[in-house]
């Protein structure tokens, strides 16, 4: 047994970790190593094994950076369980938490709530694990709405039963950049945050702080609280012109976006997750 095999065996048998699946057909697991968990490259896997899906992703401006990794790569099958029509990728966040980072289904096979099926299947397989969804796009949010996995306030704000996680970028970047442009300009988010609040009008996960002060990108978020929204996903920008909607929003233009939201939820006496 080599060092990596010993490391893998010891780690997989660690009872503190609640996120290890047994070997299951249609779920690839990245190699465990002393360098970490999440070692599978999404684009490399798609190019080599699923060229149809990879080409479709490029055609639809569905951005996945070349260095984006996974620990679990879940094949999504058609209703006859014969053809791979999409995928979902998960990374390990900590001992008890997985993050669903990407999910994509070929255009001709959409409308069948694949996101919910994948999420529920993994939840059943890992009942003790917490599963977060990273920066969900418009389609995922529609799935959550259709299945009533949420509460909607004032026809605009969604409080999700499924917890989201998003990189914390400056408010200015969230208004002006898509994820692809953010990465291409050499920027990198230093912090991430969990939230269950989403703005349906601006397609944004909202991070609310108690003081409603805006994150400029310069603060140390380990020391202070700041409010911001998630960066625009490229596929949402391509379909819905989200950047223009954000810039033209009256609350954002007047500089009172987060104060308005806090006031609404205070009036409704609804507790919002500010962690």
């Amino acid at each position: 047994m080599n060092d990596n095999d010993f490391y893998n065996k010891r780690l997989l048998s660690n009872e503190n970790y609640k996120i290890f699946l047994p070997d299951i057909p249609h779920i690839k697991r990245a190699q465990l190593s002393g360098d970490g968990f999440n070692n599978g490259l999404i684009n490399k896997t798609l190019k080599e094994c699923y060229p149809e899906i990879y080409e479709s992703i490029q055609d639809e401006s569905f951005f996945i950076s070349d260095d984006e990794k996974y620990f679990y790569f879940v094949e999504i099958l058609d209703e006859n369980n014969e053809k791979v029509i999409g995928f979902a990728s998960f990374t390990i966040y900590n001992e008890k938490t997985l993050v669903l980072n990407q999910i994509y289904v070929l255009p001709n096979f959409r409308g069948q709530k694949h996101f919910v099926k994948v999420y529920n299947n993994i939840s059943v397989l890992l009942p003790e694990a917490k599963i977060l969804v990273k920066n969900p796009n418009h389609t995922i949010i529609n799935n959550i709405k259709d299945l009533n996995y949420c509460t909607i306030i004032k026809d605009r704000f969604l409080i999700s039963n499924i917890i989201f996680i998003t990189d914390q970028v400056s408010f200015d970047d969230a208004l002006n950049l898509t994820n692809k442009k953010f990465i291409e300009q050499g920027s990198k988010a230093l912090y991430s945050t969990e939230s269950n609040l989403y703005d349906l009008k601006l397609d944004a996960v909202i991070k609310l702080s108690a003081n409603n002060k805006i994150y400029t990108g310069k603060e140390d978020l380990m020391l202070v609280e700041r409010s911001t929204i998630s960066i625009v996903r490229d596929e949402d920008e391509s379909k819905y012109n989200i950047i223009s909607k954000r810039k033209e929003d009256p609350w954002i233009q007047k500089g009172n976006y987060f104060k308005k939201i806090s006031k609404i939820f205070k009036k409704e006496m609804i507790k919002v997750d500010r962690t």
Side-chain angles (χ1 to χ4, degrees), residues 161-198:
N161 296 344
I162 295 172
I163 303 300
F164 308 133
I165 185 169
T166 186
D167 292 331
Q168 286 188 266
V169 302
S170 73
F171 192 55
D172 186 64
D173 283 344
L175 297 183
N176 293 285
L177 299 176
T178 64
N179 190 42
K180 182 178 181 179
K181 290 180 180 177
F182 180 79
I183 291 173
E184 286 179 343
Q185 72 175 20
S187 299
K188 185 176 182 181
L190 299 178
Y191 308 95
S192 60
T193 187
E194 297 176 28
S195 174
N196 65 340
L197 181 59
Y198 192 89

Side-chain angles (χ1 to χ4, degrees), residues 35-54:
D35 296 329
F37 299 103
N38 308 310
N39 298 313
L41 290 168
I42 297 176
N43 280 340
K44 183 175 185 291
T45 298
L46 291 172
K47 287 179 184 178
E48 293 178 354
C49 304
Y50 312 93
E52 181 184 3
I53 295 174
Y54 180 77

Side-chain angles (χ1 to χ4, degrees), residues 12 16 99 139 160 187 196 212 215 228 230 256 263:
L12 289 168
N16 292 323
V99 176
T139 301
S160 174
S187 299
N196 65 340
N212 294 317
Y215 178 46
T228 192
S230 57
N256 58 4
K263 186 175 181 180

Side-chain angles (χ1 to χ4, degrees), residues 31-162:
Q31 291 295 313
L32 292 167
S33 73
D35 296 329
F37 299 103
N38 308 310
N39 298 313
L41 290 168
I42 297 176
N43 280 340
K44 183 175 185 291
T45 298
L46 291 172
K47 287 179 184 178
E48 293 178 354
C49 304
Y50 312 93
E52 181 184 3
I53 295 174
Y54 180 77
E55 291 172 9
S56 181
I57 283 173
Q58 307 311 306
D59 292 341
E60 289 201 280
S61 300
F62 190 101
F63 177 68
I64 301 173
S65 66
D66 284 338
D67 61 355
E68 185 166 344
K69 298 179 180 180
Y70 65 86
F71 183 69
Y72 292 123
F73 184 99
V74 179
E75 294 180 339
I76 298 175
L77 304 179
D78 66 4
E79 58 184 9
N80 297 318
N81 291 327
E82 295 176 350
K83 176 182 173 67
V84 178
I85 58 170
F87 79 96
S89 64
F90 292 82
T91 51
I92 292 176
Y93 189 62
N94 59 36
E95 294 176 349
K96 297 183 179 180
T97 307
L98 281 178
V99 176
L100 195 167
N101 290 279
Q102 301 287 359
I103 182 167
Y104 180 85
V105 175
L106 291 170
N108 291 340
F109 297 91
R110 292 174 187 167
Q112 301 172 43
K113 298 182 174 55
H114 294 290
F115 161 73
V116 176
K117 293 175 184 177
V118 169
Y119 185 92
N120 287 343
N121 285 343
I122 298 298
S123 297
V124 170
L125 291 169
L126 297 172
E128 295 184 71
K130 180 180 181 180
I131 301 175
L132 308 175
V133 177
K134 186 171 183 179
N135 196 8
N137 62 17
H138 191 92
T139 301
I140 290 176
I141 295 299
N142 280 343
N143 271 244
I144 291 172
K145 286 169 58 182
D146 290 344
L147 289 164
N148 295 318
Y149 282 17
C150 61
T151 300
I152 296 176
I153 305 299
K154 301 290 186 182
D155 294 322
R156 175 167 180 174
F157 299 105
L158 177 146
I159 302 175
S160 174
N161 296 344
I162 295 172

